[in-house]
Amino acid sequence: MRVANRTIFDSIKINLDKATEAMAEANMVVSSGKKMNRLSDDPVGLVTVLDLRSSLANIEQLQKNINTGRSWLNMAESAMSQIEDVLSQAKALTVEMSSANRSSDDRYQAATVVDGYLRQVFSLANTEVAGRYIFAGTETSAQPFAFDDDNNPTLVTYAGNDDPFAIKIGKDTNVDVGRNGEQIFGANWDADNIFKTLIDLKTALQGNDVQGIQNAMQTSDDHLEKIRNLVSDTAGKVIRLDVKEKIIRDLNLTYTERMSKLEDADIAAAIVELEAKELAYQAALNSSAKVMNLSLLNYL
Amino acid sequence: MGGLGAVLDIAKGALLTQKYAIDVVSHNIANVNTPGYTRQEPLLEANDAQRLGGVMLGRGVQITDVVRLSNDFIDSTLRDRKSDLASMEEKEVYLGILEGIFNEQTGLPLSAQLADFWNAWHDLSNDPAGIEERNVLYERGLLLAQSFKDLAYDLNQLEREINISLDAGVARVNELLDQIATLSVQIIDVGVTGNANDLQDQRDTLLNELSQYLDIVALEHEDGNVTVSTRKGHILVSKADTYPLSLTSGEIEWEGSSGQIVVTDTITGGKLGGWLDMRDGILPQIGADLDELAKSIIWEVNQIHTQGVGTQAFSSILGTNAAADSTEEMGTVDSGLDFYDEISDGSFEFWLYDNTGAVVGSTTINIVKNATTLDALAASITAIHANVTATVTGGKLQITAAGNYRVAFGNDTSGVLAGLGMNSFFSGSDASGMDVNSLLGSTKEFIAAARIDPATGAFADGDNANAIALANLQYQDVTVKHWSYSRGSTPTSQNASATLENHLQSFVGSIGIESQSVQRAREYNEIIVDELNQTRDSISGVSLDEELTNLIEYQHAYAAAAKLITAADEMLQVLMDVR
């Protein structure tokens, strides 16, 4: 084919342009560390990356939710364990005080101890996590349990509701981390109510009412049983959260790895690629410089 | 004749001819870099021989013509390809800008905004009573809405830029048509007496430039005239007559003999073709998809949000969506409600609380899609209690409770609350109008994390049922319309079901795919144009080596012809010396 001068210069320009572009692209990959720098670099891969990225954002959020849930459950577990301890002590005291060789004075003094127990349980029933009451159902901003008379309580009222506070730990999974206070302390002012038992016990001790003390002894067994069940139920929930968190962590790792595989450049390969492009560019420069100088004029 | 005079004649003719040839060579050399220049070649021919006695004697050389070495087929193919290439290059530029606008790799892309928005609902569900969480959620919603608005604005801006380019492009096309007409007239004139090679080159250059703007067919006639028409056959120029294009309210019109004809959709090549592809195909499709996405997000979020209640009920509430005609049934298009087709038969609970916060009672309000008008709804709400007034203000529903009474809603199965924007999270119905309900901006307590207990009417500030429902929205499949636009035909849509996030991802991905395919087509066309260019240059391009060789060839011939004169002179001298 006849080669015109323009052809030579045009193809030099085109080839140098291409080589520069290839080098710039290779350099972009190396300097950004990413294979995908624009939408059009790999649109299909990009959609997958975006999907993984939103899954990751979601997983990180679920992890945050789990941490919130754990702090509620841990607090609930610790509060209820303490209540269990207090109730055990109260029971021991009841057993001791129901004994026939205890004087009315002993019993009257024991009433003061029981009053202390009552106040301990009362304050544990109003346990908060970050300013939110955990045994109030969803009425988390208002103190759920209140005495009718702070100095000489005869009645404890519940202001919460029966709708336990739940958090979201998975796509379809919510876990109740708060509790309906009535479920723990008793819904009505009857034998099932822990506060009533303690107040009745206190009154019986004050009035030296052995029968009343013995009644309290019976009910506190039921209470202990219930609290123990609740504690183990709470512990079970903590384990659920732990398992869920482990799954989420594994997912996080898998997703991150997949994402990195899709969008991160293999730096070693990218550098080799860059060197290759550089070499091609230099070769193009070299040959162009030689061809450009060739002309019949040099010999005339 | 014969004799020495003939030798001198031949020598003179040779000298002149070789000099002409050298002129042509030097013209070629001088134009080695001129774009569009076509190599010229002198055609040398031996003069007719003359019988002298019994022999035929040659009478030297003459130049019969100087021809352009071009191939019309290659030239027109190249022109067509360049026209396509110009169209693709323009599209590539604009898609590059679009890629920048929708960049998902850097900054704070839309998908990250959406993820942040969902996470803010999760955070609110972790502490529904917290004001900090409400503030963050409000900001996230605002950012998301702002991003949609910005994108819609950017798309709009691009369209405006393209229209400006179109305007300038059409003006340039008309200029070119005039210049081509002028040149054609000159070429026809010169063609009668001499050669019009350089004028033809100039006209070819203009034709090439014209083909950069739109796809043309150029037909060259024997007399030197060229008829240029669009590929669809609308004649643009012939001889001195031009039929210019004009841009009228965005449409390209052709001024034919029978008046103005809209030819917008017949232009496919060149820059105009590329711009029109962008403006009437790619941009509206992206815009429509963006709007559908925004609309779905607004609707789905509002739909759930209106089921809930904040930490306080409303003493006064104004809807965000206006009906054009409050006497029309809300579920019909005549109502002018943006979300009229989402309203269905159903009901919602209207709760009323007195000045102490105690529940006064609830009323079930029934909505019939094709029967209930906005005015009727307002009337039935007003009828509930003396302290409650519902009016229609500017097409929007306004409910006011007097005497420190408060109202709240729940369990809406009709979608009317979201349709009217009562207790909604977002306002607006498309990307450019998307915003967060201004009511939530002033009172974050109205962000509905809780739900009203359907039995008692109570709601607790630690209730996160609605916040969790909203956080769940991100996992739910939602039907979103996907549009496909193609120039010159009515856009079609098809419904796809996926999560909102998936919709967004495939939307962004489709821009990347579009851009990638245009890039590839451009690269492919570029290679073809390069090849054709080389072929064209191999025929029409100037090779200096060749010209220099020719130069030396003609130079030697010139010297030899001069030598002939010297020889004839000497011979004459010899004759003169004979006495």
Side-chain angles (χ1 to χ4, degrees):
Chain A
M1 196 167 84
R2 204 179 146 269
V3 178
N5 275 58
R6 282 185 72 86
T7 310
I8 297 171
F9 285 99
D10 282 352
S11 55
I12 287 173
K13 275 184 235 159
I14 291 166
N15 290 332
L16 285 182
D17 274 359
K18 277 188 184 150
T20 322
E21 197 186 334
M23 204 170 58
E25 258 171 33
N27 183 42
M28 182 80 146
V29 173
V30 172
S31 56
S32 70
K34 301 251 185 249
K35 272 191 280 197
M36 295 179 213
N37 290 297
R38 306 175 57 196
L39 290 181
S40 55
D41 285 345
D42 179 5
V44 179
L46 179 83
V47 169
T48 318
V49 168
L50 289 181
D51 199 27
L52 287 172
R53 211 180 278 161
S54 70
S55 300
L56 273 175
N58 182 237
I59 280 175
E60 276 158 21
Q61 180 63 42
L62 290 176
Q63 214 152 353
K64 221 167 135 188
N65 297 1
I66 287 174
N67 285 337
T68 308
R70 187 180 287 123
S71 65
W72 277 62
L73 288 175
N74 285 344
M75 199 55 126
E77 195 181 358
S78 123
M80 287 189 292
S81 304
Q82 286 179 58
I83 292 170
E84 187 192 337
D85 287 349
V86 173
L87 289 182
S88 305
Q89 287 169 26
K91 197 196 151 194
L93 190 67
T94 319
V95 173
E96 203 186 324
M97 289 303 148
S98 63
S99 156
N101 52 17
R102 285 292 171 182
S103 67
S104 63
D105 273 3
D106 288 344
R107 290 189 178 127
Y108 197 84
Q109 271 162 19
T112 326
V113 179
V114 170
D115 187 60
Y117 291 158
L118 173 67
R119 285 173 197 279
Q120 268 188 62
V121 173
F122 177 80
S123 105
L124 287 167
N126 287 325
T127 299
E128 294 167 74
V129 172
R132 310 282 173 237
Y133 294 95
I134 62 175
F135 298 136
T138 55
E139 294 282 6
T140 53
S141 308
Q143 181 178 318
F145 292 97
F147 286 137
D148 57 341
D149 176 358
D150 279 347
N151 295 322
N152 185 25
T154 60
L155 186 70
V156 176
T157 52
Y158 177 63
N161 61 23
D162 59 359
D163 200 8
F165 181 75
I167 55 129
K168 184 166 184 59
I169 61 161
K171 193 176 155 187
D172 311 301
T173 325
N174 298 346
V175 169
D176 293 346
V177 294
R179 281 187 189 277
N180 165 12
E182 289 182 331
Q183 184 203 7
I184 308 170
F185 300 99
N188 303 306
W189 196 248
D190 58 16
D192 282 339
N193 195 303
I194 291 176
F195 295 114
K196 181 170 191 304
T197 303
L198 287 171
I199 288 175
D200 285 354
L201 176 59
K202 189 179 123 191
T203 319
L205 286 167
Q206 279 169 341
N208 202 15
D209 169 7
V210 177
Q211 184 58 45
I213 296 170
Q214 278 168 351
N215 285 349
M217 205 162 73
Q218 274 166 11
T219 47
S220 49
D221 275 339
D222 297 341
H223 291 324
L224 270 172
E225 171 93 29
K226 187 163 73 177
I227 294 284
R228 280 189 194 119
N229 281 339
L230 287 173
V231 169
S232 67
D233 179 60
T234 308
K237 282 181 182 166
V238 173
I239 291 169
R240 258 178 83 190
L241 290 193
D242 288 346
V243 171
K244 185 75 193 175
E245 190 176 26
K246 194 182 169 300
I247 294 170
I248 281 177
R249 278 216 185 115
D250 288 350
L251 267 183
N252 195 334
L253 205 66
T254 324
Y255 286 175
T256 315
E257 264 175 23
R258 270 185 63 198
M259 206 165 81
S260 155
K261 235 180 225 167
L262 277 169
E263 71 171 350
D264 290 349
D266 176 348
I267 290 296
I271 288 174
V272 172
E273 181 78 10
L274 178 61
E275 304 245 318
K277 300 290 187 225
E278 212 180 298
L279 195 70
Y281 181 57
Q282 274 174 356
L285 281 179
N286 233 320
S287 72
S288 303
K290 279 195 180 131
V291 172
M292 272 195 285
N293 284 330
L294 288 181
S295 168
L296 188 55
L297 272 177
N298 301 345
Y299 305 96
L300 292 176
Chain B
M1 256 275 303
L4 286 174
V7 177
L8 273 174
D9 265 355
I10 291 176
K12 187 184 91 184
L15 269 181
L16 278 177
T17 305
Q18 303 308 328
K19 195 199 140 284
Y20 274 142
I22 289 174
D23 281 351
V24 175
V25 168
S26 48
H27 188 52
N28 281 342
I29 292 176
N31 283 299
V32 65
N33 289 327
T34 309
Y37 179 74
T38 306
R39 172 165 73 103
Q40 298 178 11
E41 198 178 62
L43 286 188
L44 303 189
E45 204 175 89
N47 285 330
D48 291 344
Q50 198 180 27
R51 181 177 293 274
L52 192 69
V55 284
M56 299 292 283
L57 278 184
R59 289 197 303 166
V61 69
Q62 65 167 352
I63 282 199
T64 54
D65 202 358
V66 177
V67 293
R68 292 166 79 227
L69 290 162
S70 66
N71 180 318
D72 283 349
F73 174 70
I74 299 274
D75 282 356
S76 69
T77 314
L78 182 60
R79 198 180 290 143
D80 288 350
R81 285 298 179 171
K82 275 187 169 168
S83 188
D84 289 348
L85 183 61
S87 154
M88 282 157 196
E89 278 172 347
E90 288 306 312
K91 277 200 269 186
E92 193 185 1
V93 167
Y94 280 103
L95 279 164
I97 298 174
L98 273 179
E99 277 190 61
I101 293 174
F102 285 94
N103 196 345
E104 288 283 329
Q105 292 296 84
T106 51
L108 200 54
L110 206 50
S111 58
Q113 307 258 20
L114 191 58
D116 281 351
F117 179 66
W118 300 134
N119 285 350
W121 281 103
H122 279 272
D123 280 338
L124 182 62
S125 82
N126 286 341
D127 188 7
I131 199 68
E132 189 50 40
E133 283 76 5
R134 284 167 188 272
N135 285 335
V136 171
L137 173 58
Y138 173 75
E139 292 301 329
R140 295 276 188 244
L142 216 55
L143 271 176
L144 183 63
Q146 191 60 46
S147 300
F148 270 103
K149 268 200 283 202
D150 287 350
L151 289 173
Y153 176 80
D154 287 342
L155 289 180
N156 208 343
Q157 205 59 20
L158 265 187
E159 194 190 326
R160 196 178 305 176
E161 267 171 42
I162 290 176
N163 274 330
I164 292 172
S165 301
L166 276 174
D167 202 37
V170 166
R172 180 70 191 141
V173 165
N174 291 337
E175 266 173 43
L176 287 169
L177 294 181
D178 285 342
Q179 289 173 15
I180 290 170
T182 314
L183 276 170
S184 282
V185 172
Q186 286 177 15
I187 289 168
I188 296 170
D189 285 353
V190 175
V192 179
T193 53
N195 87 61
N197 288 345
D198 293 325
L199 291 174
Q200 273 176 323
D201 274 356
Q202 279 181 37
R203 191 173 63 186
D204 278 358
T205 310
L206 292 176
L207 285 174
N208 282 340
E209 197 187 336
L210 185 61
S211 74
Q212 294 285 295
Y213 283 96
L214 72 168
D215 38 345
I216 54 164
V217 179
L219 216 76
E220 211 166 329
H221 302 283
E222 277 296 306
D223 63 353
N225 177 35
V226 66
T227 311
V228 182
S229 62
T230 66
R231 204 171 279 178
K232 270 273 141 68
H234 297 113
I235 292 180
L236 297 170
V237 58
S238 177
K239 290 192 181 161
D241 304 322
T242 58
Y243 305 89
L245 301 178
S246 58
L247 192 69
T248 314
S249 57
E251 297 291 333
I252 293 183
E253 290 182 344
W254 171 73
E255 196 187 303
S257 46
S258 55
Q260 300 279 349
I261 298 175
V262 174
V263 294
T264 315
D265 294 330
T266 65
I267 296 172
T268 56
K271 291 180 182 175
L272 294 182
W275 292 333
L276 290 169
D277 269 356
M278 270 319 282
R279 194 197 68 179
D280 297 342
I282 298 168
L283 280 182
Q285 178 168 331
I286 291 173
D289 278 347
L290 187 71
D291 278 343
E292 290 293 344
L293 198 58
K295 190 176 178 184
S296 293
I297 291 175
I298 293 171
W299 175 258
E300 298 297 335
V301 168
N302 284 351
Q303 171 79 333
I304 295 175
H305 195 263
T306 51
Q307 307 293 332
V309 63
T311 54
Q312 63 185 58
F314 302 101
S315 56
S316 156
I317 177 173
L318 177 67
T320 57
N321 297 334
D325 189 343
S326 58
T327 63
E328 291 289 347
E329 295 78 17
M330 287 184 288
T332 64
V333 66
D334 298 332
S335 68
L337 281 168
D338 288 329
F339 291 103
Y340 75 92
D341 55 346
E342 304 277 6
I343 295 172
S344 59
D345 294 351
S347 64
F348 67 91
E349 290 297 314
F350 184 94
W351 290 93
L352 187 61
Y353 303 86
D354 69 11
N355 51 4
T356 64
V359 180
V360 175
S362 79
T363 311
T364 305
I365 301 205
N366 289 309
I367 302 291
V368 181
K369 178 179 167 69
N370 293 321
T372 315
T373 66
L374 183 53
D375 284 341
L377 174 65
S380 55
I381 291 173
T382 306
I384 291 172
H385 193 275
N387 282 11
V388 178
T389 327
T391 53
V392 178
T393 318
K396 296 172 178 175
L397 183 63
Q398 162 96 51
I399 301 176
T400 319
N404 281 330
Y405 274 47
R406 285 173 188 271
V407 301
F409 318 97
N411 198 26
D412 180 16
T413 57
S414 65
V416 72
L417 293 175
L420 294 172
M422 303 293 284
N423 187 25
S424 62
F425 188 86
F426 286 118
S427 57
S429 63
D430 58 11
S432 59
M434 190 172 177
D435 215 331
V436 177
N437 189 349
S438 53
L439 200 62
L440 301 180
S442 47
T443 317
K444 313 277 189 307
E445 283 78 4
F446 288 146
I447 292 177
R451 278 190 180 165
I452 295 177
D453 185 329
T456 64
F459 55 94
D461 60 6
D463 180 12
N464 58 11
N466 211 43
I468 286 184
L470 252 157
N472 277 338
L473 180 55
Q474 66 181 305
Y475 310 115
Q476 280 161 20
D477 281 354
V478 164
T479 304
V480 175
K481 240 182 223 166
H482 284 253
W483 287 95
S484 77
Y485 275 68
S486 142
R487 272 177 61 204
S489 48
T490 349
T492 53
S493 70
Q494 91 193 74
N495 287 330
S497 184
T499 66
L500 285 169
E501 230 131 13
N502 288 151
H503 282 301
L504 175 61
Q505 288 150 8
S506 69
F507 166 62
V508 171
S510 74
I511 297 173
I513 290 170
E514 182 78 51
S515 176
Q516 195 186 42
S517 71
V518 169
Q519 267 174 44
R520 283 188 183 150
R522 193 266 298 155
E523 278 163 20
Y524 168 74
N525 244 279
E526 209 167 57
I527 291 168
I528 293 180
V529 166
D530 285 348
E531 293 284 330
L532 282 169
N533 247 332
Q534 284 189 14
T535 315
R536 187 239 168 225
D537 282 349
S538 80
I539 297 167
S540 307
V542 175
S543 159
L544 281 180
D545 292 348
E546 197 180 78
E547 300 302 333
L548 286 170
T549 315
N550 287 343
L551 176 64
I552 300 211
E553 204 180 318
Y554 295 131
Q555 200 181 353
H556 280 300
Y558 186 83
K563 184 74 188 165
L564 268 181
I565 291 177
T566 323
D569 178 46
E570 280 170 1
M571 284 157 83
L572 271 175
Q573 201 64 46
V574 171
L575 277 182
M576 300 289 199
D577 289 348
V578 178
R579 291 169 207 235

